[in-house]
Amino acid sequence: MIDEAEAAIIRRIFTEYDRGRSARAIAIGLNRDGIPAPRSGGKGTWSFSTISGNWKRGTGILNNELYVGKLVWNRQHFVKDPDSGKRQARPNPPDAWIIEDIPALRIIEEELWTRVKHRQGAIREDILTERVANPDGPKIERGHRPRYLLSGLLTCGCCGSGYIMISDSRLGCAAARNSGTCANRKTIKRTDVEARVLGGLRTQLIAHAS
């Protein structure tokens, strides 16, 4: 069944994206207005990934075909990593998908859905063109991010969220960047942080050795 209150939120997201707002700006607006994020029990927050997701896997609000009355099964399968033992998702080819039309559950009109898909495709093309023109440029939010010395180890002193790469050279608070729920807008060069940490370790090791 359609939850009309939640359907209104979905329509808002699609409409704002269609009007040119980014997924990040939409997420910040939803958090500012106190709208609960999906499956959060009213405690979680929106982020750009909740909205934009992964178009190939059909994840994210903007890629959920249930909103246009289509239920897609068998989009992916899982395999076990022989080293870690963890399950990893692998996409199935489109001809293996099972699609069931459920028009009674449509909440997004076809014209709006199509415009959103066109905008997503245009953005992907722009990103691909930029990659070809500038292969050494920043790749934030574009595929797998490179791992650095302190990746996953730094946290924001204001909210406790991770400090992440927000450009090709600087770190910043993930919550401030992606959901607007932290007021800490300070950034720092990655190389400066690494130099400070290594310098501190060196000093401590020398003091301990002596």
Side-chain angles (χ1 to χ4, degrees):
M1 296 177 62
I2 295 175
D3 184 315
E4 289 300 336
E6 295 185 356
I9 299 171
I10 300 302
R11 294 189 187 103
R12 166 179 168 168
I13 292 171
F14 272 82
T15 300
E16 290 186 2
Y17 190 84
D18 180 44
R19 292 175 178 173
R21 298 196 76 190
S22 67
R24 178 175 287 107
I26 295 171
I28 291 173
L30 293 168
N31 289 325
R32 181 192 60 230
D33 294 343
I35 296 174
R39 303 186 186 91
S40 67
K43 298 179 181 180
T45 57
W46 295 84
S47 70
F48 76 92
S49 60
T50 309
I51 294 170
S52 60
N54 184 311
W55 68 276
K56 287 185 177 181
R57 297 182 182 274
T59 60
I61 299 294
L62 295 177
N63 302 309
N64 191 338
E65 293 183 81
L66 187 60
Y67 300 144
V68 287
K70 293 183 179 180
L71 189 59
V72 182
W73 303 87
N74 203 41
R75 190 188 291 269
Q76 62 185 16
H77 66 281
F78 292 88
V79 297
K80 181 177 289 188
D81 186 296
D83 297 323
S84 66
K86 295 181 179 180
R87 293 200 317 160
Q88 296 182 342
R90 294 288 184 269
N92 290 328
D95 57 8
W97 299 354
I98 301 172
I99 302 176
E100 181 180 355
D101 289 324
I102 311 177
L105 294 183
R106 173 189 285 271
I107 60 175
I108 298 297
E109 294 302 320
E110 191 65 32
E111 293 79 7
L112 176 57
W113 173 268
T114 300
R115 290 197 301 271
V116 165
K117 294 296 106 180
H118 284 167
R119 184 177 177 220
Q120 286 180 305
I123 291 174
R124 287 195 296 271
E125 287 185 10
D126 288 344
I127 291 174
L128 180 60
T129 300
E130 184 179 340
R131 279 181 176 175
V132 172
N134 184 21
D136 297 324
K139 300 177 178 60
I140 302 302
E141 299 165 19
R142 301 174 189 174
H144 295 292
R145 300 179 183 178
R147 299 286 297 178
Y148 297 107
L149 177 64
L150 301 175
S151 293
L153 299 177
L154 303 175
T155 58
C156 173
C158 296
C159 72
S161 296
Y163 244 58
I164 62 172
M165 294 297 297
I166 61 172
S167 73
D168 60 333
S169 63
R170 302 191 72 84
L171 293 150
C173 174
R177 169 74 169 173
N178 296 331
S179 59
T181 55
C182 178
N184 180 16
R185 297 288 178 178
K186 293 184 178 181
T187 65
I188 187 169
K189 289 185 67 175
R190 172 182 59 82
T191 51
D192 288 348
V193 175
E194 292 175 351
R196 291 183 189 182
V197 171
L198 292 175
L201 288 172
R202 186 180 301 110
T203 300
Q204 291 295 321
L205 289 171
I206 292 175
H208 182 73
S210 61

